[in-house]
Amino acid sequence: MENILYVSVFPHIGGGEVSLQLILKRLDKKRFRPYVVCYAEGALVEALKGQGVEVFVFQRGSFFSNFTIIWKLARFMKRYSISLVHVNSLDIRAGVAACLAGVPCIGHLRVIYPFSWRDRLFVSLARKVIAVSEAAADHLDKGKKYIAKFSIIANAVEVPESQSLDRGALRRELSIPESALLIGAVGRIHPVKGYEYFIEAAAMVRKEFPDAYFAIFADTNEADPDKRQYFHKLQECVKRFHLEDRFLFPGFRRDILPGIAAFDITVVPSVEIKNEQGTLTEGFGRVAIESMAMGVCVVASRVGGLAEIIEDGLSGVFVEPARANALAEALVALLKDPLKRLRLQQEALKRYKSFYTVSRHMELIEKVYAEAANTQVVDTPCQLCGGYAFKVKEDSGCGYKVLQCSGCRFAFVRPLPADDLLSGNYAQDYYKPWITQQRLSRQKMWHNRLKRLNAAAPHKGRLLDVGCGDGLFLETAQNAGWRVFGTEFSSYAVSFIKEKYGIEVFRGDITEYESPGSEFDAVTLWHVLEHTRDPVAVIKKLRSLLKDDGILVLALPNLDNWLSRGIYRLVKGKKPHLFSPLDRELHLNFFKKETLVALLEMSGFEVIAVSGDCNGARWQEHVLNLINSFFSFISGRLCFDSLEVYARPRLKGSLPLK
């Protein structure tokens, strides 16, 4: 399962926040687990908690709290293993935090406003930006510098069951006669909405239709002084045109669709406000889509994203912004022609069903998630957690990819190489350095490993070494008093061990091995598990071969070896890769401490200890281990190039360690 962090800057509920609620409601919870961070308490926080969403508030205060928020966000992303950050705006704090945490970030451009350097910096940091309209993207990216990062995804509207809509309820509530005409507008109280032109147009319409009613649904209790001043201006405008008995301000409605369904016509009179910093206007125009979904005719200003929603004369009517006369003429013409209104409503409903449904919206959103996180869905689930979403951690460029589960972080190669490639790699030349120039150093390495095994094993009994290579460890253990058995994939290695040491070794996969006699007191896999095709099947097989008081020892590469990768890049001048068919070592699986522990526990083992594998045959490995030991000590993370793990069988009925 992939953990996604949603960041919402604003505590109120506007169009963007309604869209965020819808995304969180319809998100595929089998693939994604959402967390939300808001910068203040408010209606949005309460609404999301009501949806059962986990919400955290990082309170804004002084200027310096911006830096605190960045630090808190970055820590949050690490603590909750966030795979993707979706910012419901272009918030530079969230963008910087995601960059520091190494998590891909998506921005959501919902409005057109005077964009600043902070907005463009956010876009440069983000992996992708969802824009609700071409107009919004064009206003920000005037030089087309970031055009490849933009995905245009219009907002969606979730329509309730038709039988639950009582189209007469609003009229009864507002004491409007059923036969009267009702023309309405919906949106926040802000000058960009152009409500004063609607009020002026209403006065003209009333001359032709004296019984018509008009309404603006908006939050009239705004705390912002500029918005309060604008609302007072609207009230004065209503008085000036003597519309007190016909023009209503019913307030904010969380469930506005039944209200819109009661309209005869919806008006969206938005305008463009220009100043030295830029332009402020509608990035989308959600109420137009809501009206189309409800089968209500729309008359709108041709500004911003609205121009992309409506087909003029086919699914709605456009008028020039800030022109009350033009708005009034369009309204009067439609009110006089009910058949034209009906045709517009029918076409608008078709357009809604084609472009603005929730299912289409979520399909496009989740596609952007996959692109931003560089993930893909495959047919076979993750062997550890059963998830289906995977990040492409590395593409070899020759048909092979290293995929990493977005949920548990287990990584593996797909497609798996053919058997002939694997068997061809582990021929005589592979083992030659071990048998010749590295023999003395490897003897010392095996003595050190055996010393640690002897200290952990209950007694020296039967020992199985899986993937025993050139057999030197088998000989070392046998000389120390163990009764040794081995398995090996390479036919050359099996023949060499029999000829050199006189030890019979099973050739083939460990999952096909049948123990000659009783169970084993110890099983070892020295850098073998990463080469297996099915590590889960391997570990479960080993559990069946091991005594209840036996010991399992594994050593294998550490996927979390960030320090070693950095040193490699510094020395070699290039990034280290995980898999290539040309490599001497063909690793098919890649583990971190957490994924390795999860594998062992799900297979019936209890982990005793996990440490860095400080054994090696070459002096370079010893130097690297010293460096890794120092940084692991000060960081508290096992950044060793390899891990060494000791585990014992978990008794039936006992719980796995957490």
Side-chain angles (χ1 to χ4, degrees):
M1 184 173 289
E2 192 170 358
N3 294 339
I4 301 183
L5 172 61
Y6 294 85
V7 179
S8 180
V9 176
F10 305 107
H12 60 254
I13 297 180
E17 290 70 39
V18 171
S19 293
L20 175 61
Q21 287 180 268
L22 184 58
I23 290 173
L24 291 166
K25 178 181 178 181
R26 297 296 294 270
L27 193 68
D28 184 353
K29 301 304 192 301
K30 293 181 180 178
R31 288 181 55 198
F32 305 104
R33 180 175 182 178
Y35 298 89
V36 177
V37 166
C38 295
Y39 292 164
E41 297 283 357
L44 178 62
V45 172
E46 296 306 315
L48 291 176
K49 287 181 178 178
Q51 284 184 221
V53 178
E54 291 187 72
V55 185
F56 302 81
V57 177
F58 295 167
Q59 199 74 39
R60 278 186 305 184
S62 65
F63 170 79
F64 295 101
S65 68
N66 293 319
F67 300 99
T68 304
I69 286 174
I70 293 173
W71 177 72
K72 286 182 177 179
L73 284 171
R75 284 192 63 194
F76 186 96
M77 294 172 201
K78 289 291 187 180
R79 179 181 177 185
Y80 288 90
S81 300
I82 299 298
S83 301
L84 184 69
V85 178
H86 184 162
V87 187
N88 204 39
S89 58
L90 306 184
D91 179 58
I92 189 59
R93 290 159 292 196
V96 171
C99 185
L100 292 174
V103 179
C105 180
I106 293 173
H108 213 131
L109 178 56
R110 298 187 179 277
V111 295
I112 297 173
Y113 59 97
F115 297 110
S116 69
W117 64 268
R118 290 182 293 274
D119 304 307
R120 293 183 171 85
L121 176 58
F122 176 90
V123 175
S124 69
L125 294 176
R127 189 75 60 87
K128 296 285 290 185
V129 176
I130 299 171
V132 294
S133 64
E134 293 280 1
D138 287 344
H139 270 77
L140 187 147
D141 194 19
K142 291 185 180 297
K144 304 299 181 184
K145 183 178 179 181
Y146 306 111
I147 190 168
K149 290 191 175 186
F150 282 95
S151 293
I152 310 302
I153 303 178
N155 289 330
V157 172
E158 186 172 39
V159 179
E161 296 293 333
S162 58
Q163 58 266 28
S164 67
L165 285 176
D166 183 356
R167 297 176 184 269
L170 179 72
R171 292 170 179 264
R172 291 192 295 273
E173 177 188 334
L174 301 179
S175 300
I176 297 174
E178 288 287 332
S179 59
L181 295 169
L182 175 59
I183 303 167
V186 178
R188 58 198 169 98
I189 293 293
H190 194 284
V192 78
K193 296 298 182 179
Y195 292 137
E196 62 268 35
Y197 301 104
F198 176 31
I199 296 171
E200 186 177 349
M204 302 177 194
V205 171
R206 192 181 179 191
K207 293 177 182 178
E208 296 282 341
F209 297 91
D211 296 331
Y213 284 78
F214 309 89
I216 295 176
F217 287 82
D219 186 357
T220 56
N221 296 314
E222 286 280 1
D224 184 275
D226 292 335
K227 293 177 181 178
R228 284 205 308 271
Q229 183 179 354
Y230 179 63
F231 178 56
H232 292 152
K233 175 184 175 181
L234 297 179
Q235 290 177 309
E236 290 298 322
C237 195
V238 168
K239 292 178 181 178
R240 186 167 70 252
F241 289 108
H242 308 292
L243 294 171
E244 295 93 333
D245 61 331
R246 295 298 169 133
F247 210 107
L248 310 174
F249 292 93
F252 171 75
R253 300 290 175 100
R254 183 164 294 174
D255 185 13
I256 191 59
L257 292 182
I260 292 175
F263 296 172
D264 290 288
I265 298 176
T266 297
V267 174
V268 191
S270 303
V271 298
E272 290 184 340
I273 299 176
K274 297 184 177 181
N275 55 35
E276 295 178 356
Q277 286 74 38
T279 300
L280 175 65
T281 190
E282 292 285 0
F284 183 67
R286 181 183 181 84
V287 66
I289 302 299
E290 292 172 328
S291 300
M292 293 164 71
M294 291 294 97
V296 176
C297 188
V298 179
V299 177
S301 300
R302 194 193 297 269
V303 295
L306 283 165
E308 299 167 35
I309 296 175
I310 296 169
E311 297 169 294
D312 190 23
L314 184 62
S315 55
V317 175
F318 275 131
V319 296
E320 291 304 308
R323 290 186 57 190
N325 287 339
L327 178 58
E329 289 173 7
L331 291 172
V332 169
L334 287 174
L335 293 173
K336 287 182 176 180
D337 192 347
L339 288 178
K340 182 177 181 180
R341 283 209 322 269
L342 181 61
R343 287 195 300 270
L344 291 174
Q345 290 166 3
Q346 291 172 339
E347 288 301 318
L349 187 57
K350 288 180 184 178
R351 186 166 175 80
Y352 159 75
K353 291 179 178 179
S354 296
F355 299 106
Y356 305 113
T357 60
V358 177
S359 58
R360 173 183 169 84
H361 182 73
M362 292 308 300
E363 180 183 341
L364 295 174
I365 289 286
E366 291 182 9
K367 181 181 178 182
V368 171
Y369 286 176
E371 292 173 355
N374 196 20
T375 61
Q376 64 184 58
V377 177
V378 299
D379 294 334
T380 54
C382 171
Q383 295 180 56
L384 295 193
C385 72
Y388 282 87
F390 301 92
K391 176 182 179 181
V392 180
K393 191 168 182 64
E394 180 180 283
D395 190 337
S396 68
C398 52
Y400 297 98
K401 293 180 180 179
V402 176
L403 304 181
Q404 185 173 40
C405 177
S406 299
C408 69
R409 300 297 190 269
F410 171 59
F412 52 90
V413 174
R414 285 297 182 274
L416 287 169
D419 284 339
D420 57 352
L421 175 61
L422 296 176
S423 59
N425 247 40
Y426 302 113
Q428 182 174 355
D429 288 345
Y430 177 83
Y431 299 97
K432 189 175 181 180
W434 297 358
I435 299 169
T436 56
Q437 64 262 37
Q438 294 180 14
R439 182 171 176 80
L440 291 177
S441 59
R442 287 176 65 80
Q443 280 181 329
K444 183 178 180 180
M445 177 185 72
W446 291 129
H447 279 294
N448 290 336
R449 290 195 190 279
L450 188 61
K451 184 178 179 180
R452 289 169 59 83
L453 171 60
N454 289 338
H459 58 270
K460 292 180 182 178
R462 290 162 51 85
L463 182 148
L464 174 65
D465 186 28
V466 180
C468 52
D470 63 349
L472 187 54
F473 177 69
L474 286 178
E475 185 205 29
T476 305
Q478 184 173 255
N479 292 339
W482 287 89
R483 283 183 293 147
V484 298
F485 301 83
T487 72
E488 176 53 53
F489 180 82
S490 167
S491 58
Y492 167 78
V494 170
S495 299
F496 176 83
I497 294 169
K498 183 177 180 180
E499 180 182 337
K500 179 75 173 177
Y501 306 116
I503 301 173
E504 292 287 345
V505 170
F506 172 79
R507 179 183 179 272
D509 195 288
I510 181 61
T511 57
E512 302 168 355
Y513 177 71
E514 295 299 329
S515 172
S518 59
E519 297 169 319
F520 293 97
D521 298 282
V523 176
T524 56
L525 291 89
W526 305 115
H527 288 268
V528 172
L529 191 64
E530 66 271 20
H531 298 275
T532 61
R533 289 179 172 275
D534 189 344
V536 176
V538 169
I539 298 299
K540 288 183 177 180
K541 176 68 175 183
L542 298 182
R543 175 63 186 91
S544 70
L545 294 172
L546 198 60
K547 291 181 179 179
D548 286 345
D549 63 345
I551 191 78
L552 173 68
V553 187
L554 302 95
L556 73 172
N558 178 19
L559 188 59
D560 201 18
N561 62 341
W562 54 272
L563 183 59
S564 296
R565 292 199 307 271
I567 293 173
Y568 181 96
R569 195 163 190 171
L570 183 65
V571 174
K572 299 284 188 178
K574 60 181 180 180
K575 182 181 178 181
H577 64 264
L578 295 173
F579 178 85
S580 167
L582 302 177
D583 286 343
R584 179 177 183 273
E585 296 274 355
L586 294 180
H587 294 176
L588 307 181
N589 306 290
F590 308 89
F591 292 90
K592 304 167 68 171
K593 174 186 174 182
E594 294 78 10
T595 51
L596 186 56
V597 170
L599 169 60
L600 290 167
E601 291 184 343
M602 69 180 282
S603 303
F605 285 94
E606 176 185 333
V607 176
I608 302 171
V610 182
S611 61
D613 178 15
C614 293
N615 294 286
R618 296 175 297 169
W619 68 266
Q620 295 95 330
E621 293 174 301
H622 293 296
V623 172
L624 187 60
N625 283 330
L626 287 173
I627 298 172
N628 284 330
S629 296
F630 173 74
F631 279 94
S632 294
F633 175 76
I634 63 175
S635 68
R637 290 172 56 187
L638 288 175
C639 59
F640 289 89
D641 209 38
S642 299
L643 299 175
E644 187 173 270
V645 183
Y646 283 74
R648 61 181 175 228
R650 188 174 66 246
L651 298 179
K652 292 181 180 179
S654 63
L655 296 174
L657 295 176
K658 295 297 183 185

